Amino acid sequence: MGEKDVRRAGDTEQLRVFTKRLLDDLRALERVIDTGLVESGVRRIGAEQEMFLVDDHWRPATAASDVLDVVDDPRVTGELGRFNLEFNLDPKEFGGDCLSRLEGEIDELLTKVRAGAAQCGVKVALTGILPTLRKSDLSIQNMMPEPRYYALNDALNRLSGGPYQFRIQGTDDLLISHDSIMLEAANTSFQVHFQVGPEEFAKLYNIALSVTAPVLAAATNSPLLFGRRLWRETRIALFQQSIDTRGGAPDMRDLPPRVRFGARWVDRSILEIFKEDIAQFDVVLATDIGDDPFDAIESGRAPALKALMLHNSTVYRWNRPCYGVKAGVAHLRIENRVLPSGPTPLDEMANAAFWFGLMAGLAEQYDDIRSVMSFDDAKSNFIVAGRLGLAGHFHWINGDMFSAPDLILQRLLPLARE
């Protein structure tokens, strides 16, 4: 949702024009990859830091606009809730002291945001879900006053056809309904990015799927919502249900949710994921689509593919494929969206280092992770990690079964460290 000039895809003609550009962008991306316009042979990492603003009683503080005015840094932006902020870290080449520099930038920006927050009489809290949140805090009145969020809310409400239903079972049970997407604002995450070449995307994306569960199990910090003890990482269940537009009809429940792990390994290319998401999910937002992408390609420039990227931002895979253009050069990234924010930058960097190390290490060990692990095991492991965290047991490579601590300590941490 980095694109601010968006609106709900409303009338039929507007929808037709945007959908045509979406399909053009997909064909253009195929051309970009085939003609070698996508950067290859270099690995970069990056991250996005989300956070809560709280008052002296650790209750959510709706001061995001005021803090943004004080901080006045383009890297710091608003989020869905008026008690949320986010900042975006600069990409860094993977190697050397990249993790130390990433941590240093987090500390620098967090210090800056905390100073700005203090001037506004509030504080910053890093956690996946703020335990003091109440359902009343998640009213539409506390949505950040930006047209893109209202457009997204209107579009998804129209698709859902009624209130969103939440049922999360843990030590306690939560059963509620809500009339907007604002429960999404109860979640904050530390999203990490890993740049890959187009020729290795499928291999590395499948590795990202396979390691999601143990990385999540080591990072959980959000067991509470509205005073109930739910999943070890309740964000996973809450986010999936917070924008679930399928409604209650049986025929709708057979459709995939917009927040998803996925349904299969990737065989060859990032294009498979984009094609699947365009086929399965309605266009909900539109924007001015700009220049023809094929004109850019003919002149040797990387196209922005604004329509494709906007649609991609409304489908929430836990490992999201990303296309971007930096300094005129196109690149592909895998975005890990499962890690919670906090509780400290050091914890976040440990979680990120674990993931980066596994992405690199397993890529050296296995040419094709699919030959030694089933997709169904990777997906079920993810649900177990969200529900149970380190108390879970995982089906691992070659069908071996491990408790989460044994798998992490005996197999995965040594590999990631190396």
Side-chain angles (χ1 to χ4, degrees):
M1 286 300 297
E3 177 65 55
K4 293 190 175 184
D5 183 22
V6 301
R7 56 190 176 273
R8 177 181 147 188
D11 64 75
T12 303
E13 177 61 18
Q14 182 187 71
L15 184 62
R16 186 193 66 79
V17 170
F18 186 83
T19 301
K20 180 180 183 303
R21 174 48 63 88
L22 179 60
L23 297 173
D24 286 345
D25 279 1
L26 186 63
R27 288 190 290 270
L29 177 58
E30 188 170 15
R31 177 88 61 85
V32 166
I33 293 173
D34 288 345
T35 55
L37 286 177
V38 177
E39 189 172 29
S40 185
V42 62
R43 295 266 174 82
R44 292 188 183 86
I45 62 172
E48 302 168 59
Q49 173 73 71
E50 298 176 347
M51 68 207 79
F52 286 101
L53 297 175
V54 296
D55 61 21
D56 288 339
H57 301 287
W58 293 90
R59 293 270 296 122
T62 55
S65 296
D66 295 334
V67 176
L68 286 172
D69 289 341
V70 172
V71 172
D72 192 25
D73 187 314
R75 294 172 294 178
V76 184
T77 65
E79 251 293 337
L80 179 61
R82 294 175 60 213
F83 42 76
N84 301 134
L85 287 178
E86 175 184 319
F87 57 71
N88 299 283
L89 304 169
D90 295 328
K92 292 164 178 57
E93 192 159 336
F94 187 48
D97 63 348
C98 64
L99 297 179
S100 297
R101 290 188 291 115
L102 192 65
E103 183 182 1
E105 190 179 3
I106 294 172
D107 288 336
E108 172 212 338
L109 279 167
L110 199 54
T111 298
K112 190 172 187 178
V113 172
R114 281 178 168 150
Q119 291 185 46
C120 300
V122 299
K123 297 180 288 191
V124 170
L126 301 182
T127 184
I129 295 177
L130 190 66
T132 56
L133 272 172
R134 300 169 185 160
K135 187 169 179 282
S136 58
D137 296 319
L138 301 169
S139 68
I140 197 74
Q141 287 74 27
N142 283 341
M143 183 178 286
M144 196 69 170
E146 291 194 13
R148 56 178 171 153
Y149 295 129
Y150 291 111
L152 182 64
N153 183 66
D154 290 347
L156 295 180
N157 285 353
R158 176 178 54 83
L159 287 177
S160 68
Y164 299 88
Q165 304 297 326
F166 295 83
R167 177 73 182 268
I168 306 176
Q169 295 177 294
T171 303
D172 303 318
D173 287 353
L174 179 70
L175 179 60
I176 60 171
S177 63
H178 201 57
D179 60 358
S180 76
I181 64 170
M182 273 296 289
L183 259 79
E184 183 186 340
N187 296 324
T188 62
S189 60
F190 181 66
Q191 298 159 10
V192 288
H193 294 249
F194 195 71
Q195 181 179 331
V196 302
E199 74 287 347
E200 61 181 358
F201 178 88
K203 171 182 176 177
L204 288 168
Y205 188 84
N206 291 335
I207 287 174
L209 293 175
S210 71
V211 303
T212 298
V215 171
L216 173 61
T220 59
N221 73 17
S222 306
L224 298 174
L225 176 64
F226 305 150
R228 270 86 160 188
R229 299 163 296 172
L230 302 171
W231 289 19
R232 292 306 301 172
E233 189 55 37
T234 303
R235 283 173 48 255
I236 303 302
L238 179 63
F239 188 30
Q240 179 157 320
Q241 297 180 43
S242 67
I243 53 173
D244 192 345
T245 59
R246 295 174 297 170
D251 58 327
M252 293 295 289
R253 302 307 297 182
D254 289 337
L255 299 174
R258 292 189 92 94
V259 179
R260 60 197 308 228
F261 184 80
R264 61 189 62 82
W265 298 119
V266 174
D267 291 326
R268 292 175 300 278
S269 167
I270 190 174
L271 293 164
E272 296 169 34
I273 302 177
F274 290 141
K275 288 177 181 177
E276 182 177 283
D277 289 347
I278 290 171
Q280 292 184 332
F281 299 107
D282 291 339
V283 170
V284 295
L285 297 177
T287 187
D288 294 331
I289 49 185
D291 298 335
D292 188 307
F294 294 102
D295 290 342
I297 294 170
E298 291 301 320
S299 63
R301 293 181 291 111
L305 306 184
K306 288 176 66 175
L308 182 60
M309 292 305 95
L310 181 58
H311 186 263
N312 191 46
S313 76
T314 65
V315 179
Y316 303 86
R317 290 179 181 260
W318 289 108
N319 291 279
R320 175 184 273 168
C322 299
Y323 167 90
V325 179
K326 184 79 171 176
V329 180
H331 65 269
L332 305 180
R333 306 186 309 278
I334 299 168
E335 177 189 7
N336 179 324
R337 299 171 56 81
V338 306
L339 297 175
S341 177
T344 71
L346 187 60
D347 293 298
E348 294 176 330
M349 286 309 304
N351 296 334
F354 189 29
W355 187 66
F356 293 140
L358 290 179
M359 289 291 291
L362 282 175
E364 292 183 1
Q365 284 194 346
Y366 299 101
D367 286 334
D368 189 348
I369 199 74
R370 299 176 302 172
S371 66
V372 293
M373 188 176 187
S374 77
F375 178 84
D376 288 345
D377 282 345
K379 187 171 184 176
S380 63
N381 288 345
F382 169 64
I383 300 301
V384 168
R387 286 183 180 275
L388 301 176
L390 291 173
H393 287 73
F394 299 141
H395 293 276
W396 193 239
I397 286 169
N398 294 321
D400 292 338
M401 191 79 172
F402 289 91
S403 71
D406 285 348
L407 177 62
I408 292 168
L409 291 171
Q410 296 174 14
R411 296 288 186 91
L412 300 185
L413 275 177
L415 176 63
R417 182 182 296 115
E418 181 182 350

